[in-house]
Amino acid sequence: MALDRFGRSINYLRISLTDKCNLRCVYCMPENMVFRPKETLLQDDELLRLVRVFTELGFNKFRLTGGEPTIRQNVVEIVAGIASTPGVNSLSMTTNGILLGKLAQPLADAGLQRVNISIDTLDPDKFHKITRWGHLDEVWAGIEASERAGLTPIKLNAVVVRGFNEGDVTELAKLTVDRDWQFRFIEMMPFGDVAAFAQNAVVTDAEIRARIAEEYMPLELLDDGHLDGEARMYRFPGAKGEVGFISTITQPFCASCNRARLTADGVLRLCLLRDKEVDLLTPMRAGADNDEIKQIILDGVWQKPWGHGLADDVIPLTRVMSQIGG
Ligand code: SAM
């Protein structure tokens, strides 16, 4: 079991399959983003070896992300490899959904269990403006294909950005009235080159809930406010689905954080919002055996920061979200 010095048991690994993306969301990366050369990224065999090492340390929950995980070459084979690794109990993916129209079924057949799909608005023009390159109909086709493939319960994510989509939150939340979906609003976080933009345009969960109450009806808190993963859950009275809030800025959930992130270039990141990292790729390529890699991981986990430092103006500067894996 991988424990940190605060007694948290870390068993959840979010793996970035690539730093590249087929969108350029305004809050995630600059439009002229420069990507890392392929040879500096974890190759398929290196990635699967690390997954096995992590499972032997007690990690049992894995999420694939990016960049955009569905554009990674061999993504179906990688999913099959991870799904068949002993000790992997939960395997899900966070994706923009654009390629799920054709990939949802093969991914489900390969062992993927669930997807979280990002959709910041239901307005095609605004969607294009936020993502710079995206077409909403492709995402919608991806959501439907995921539901048909059984990648359920369907979870949808929106980052709320002032001046872009704060007026769309009620329509988005109302998707859960007739569908057993979970819609989750994410407070925008500041990273690297897009930090100033994020800090100026953040919309808090309290503001989102107040707007939804005014424009439709108040949401009812579920489970006495206990977190479901990182989200605090609500429901419209009588609705089939649920609405969640991931409020990293105004209500941080660091105390219950059980996760670590593996970047596409093979670095272990113990806090999304702190720059401290542990390189796994370099020792692996230098010939470290699995026991040595395990010790590097355990030492890194032990030093996992207690929480983020946004309240003290400590902002992650070395990477934007797409280079970490959200
Ligand atoms: N491309 C995939 C997607 O769109 O879901 C996976 C990677 S993306 C980095 C993962 C999640 O991070 C998405 O839900 C995205 O909206 C969110 N995200 C990106 N930048 C963010 C930021 N600055 N603050 C909060 N969430 C962010």
Side-chain angles (χ1 to χ4, degrees):
M1 188 192 287
L3 284 177
D4 76 3
R5 67 208 147 108
F6 304 105
R8 293 174 295 191
S9 167
I10 313 304
N11 67 334
Y12 178 13
L13 187 67
R14 298 171 75 106
I15 303 174
S16 173
L17 291 187
T18 173
D19 59 337
K20 297 196 183 68
C21 191
N22 44 0
L23 297 182
R24 292 289 181 277
C25 300
V26 288
Y27 47 76
C28 192
M29 64 167 110
E31 189 164 16
N32 57 355
M33 184 78 194
V34 178
F35 298 104
R36 289 168 204 270
K38 199 174 168 194
E39 63 277 10
T40 66
L41 305 182
L42 283 171
Q43 306 299 301
D44 296 2
D45 56 335
E46 293 169 329
L47 177 61
L48 292 175
R49 178 179 164 198
L50 280 180
V51 168
R52 182 172 287 269
V53 166
F54 275 99
T55 58
E56 289 171 6
L57 290 172
F59 283 71
N60 55 12
K61 187 175 173 187
F62 293 80
R63 172 172 294 277
L64 306 178
T65 178
E68 174 47 40
T70 58
I71 65 172
R72 164 91 183 220
Q73 226 178 355
N74 302 333
V75 63
V76 174
E77 289 76 9
I78 291 171
V79 164
I82 298 175
S84 61
T85 303
V88 174
N89 296 341
S90 169
L91 180 59
S92 55
M93 179 182 278
T94 298
T95 165
N96 60 34
I98 290 202
L99 295 178
L100 286 180
K102 65 173 189 217
L103 279 178
Q105 191 62 56
L107 287 170
D109 293 343
L112 190 70
Q113 295 166 356
R114 284 176 309 284
V115 283
N116 288 29
I117 300 174
S118 302
I119 180 166
D120 296 331
T121 171
L122 300 180
D123 176 324
D125 293 333
K126 281 193 200 168
F127 185 78
H128 193 70
K129 197 170 152 208
I130 294 180
T131 61
R132 293 195 182 104
W133 296 358
H135 298 287
L136 186 63
D137 51 346
E138 293 173 332
V139 179
W140 202 256
I143 295 170
E144 290 176 340
S146 301
E147 200 163 36
R148 279 196 304 276
L151 293 169
T152 53
I154 296 287
K155 294 187 182 179
L156 305 180
N157 293 340
V159 175
V160 186
V161 189
R162 195 173 306 286
F164 283 83
N165 64 340
E166 78 269 35
D168 299 38
V169 294
T170 305
E171 285 308 307
L172 291 168
K174 280 167 70 178
L175 289 174
T176 64
V177 171
D178 297 324
R179 301 171 180 87
D180 58 355
W181 294 353
Q182 207 184 82
F183 201 99
R184 296 141 35 111
F185 293 103
I186 304 174
E187 281 180 348
M188 187 165 43
M189 295 170 267
F191 293 94
D193 290 350
V194 287
F197 172 84
Q199 284 177 309
N200 291 329
V202 68
V203 181
T204 66
D205 80 353
E207 181 178 337
I208 298 168
R209 280 201 312 282
R211 184 184 270 267
I212 292 171
E214 194 184 315
E215 294 179 351
Y216 183 52
M217 64 170 82
L219 285 159
E220 293 176 343
L221 184 65
L222 298 178
D223 303 328
D224 293 327
H226 286 118
L227 295 181
D228 172 12
E230 63 273 62
R232 189 162 280 110
M233 301 309 303
Y234 294 77
R235 191 197 289 271
F236 289 123
K240 286 192 178 161
E242 297 176 354
V243 179
F245 291 85
I246 302 176
S247 314
T248 317
I249 310 283
T250 59
Q251 299 191 52
F253 41 88
C254 307
S256 60
C257 183
N258 64 343
R259 68 202 64 189
R261 288 179 164 79
L262 181 63
T263 68
D265 54 323
V267 155
L268 187 63
R269 183 135 171 156
L270 280 314
C271 173
L272 175 61
L273 290 155
R274 298 250 185 205
D275 283 329
K276 189 175 160 41
E277 300 178 336
V278 179
D279 184 4
L280 301 181
L281 184 64
T282 306
M284 195 160 64
R285 288 193 179 166
D289 65 22
N290 285 0
D291 286 340
E292 288 167 326
I293 294 171
K294 276 182 198 162
Q295 197 54 54
I296 296 171
I297 295 170
L298 286 174
D299 293 345
V301 167
W302 184 254
Q303 295 299 333
K304 179 176 164 70
W306 167 249
H308 69 64
L310 296 183
D312 301 320
D313 271 341
V314 179
I315 289 170
L317 294 173
T318 55
R319 293 173 187 257
V320 291
M321 185 69 138
S322 62
Q323 296 168 313
I324 304 169

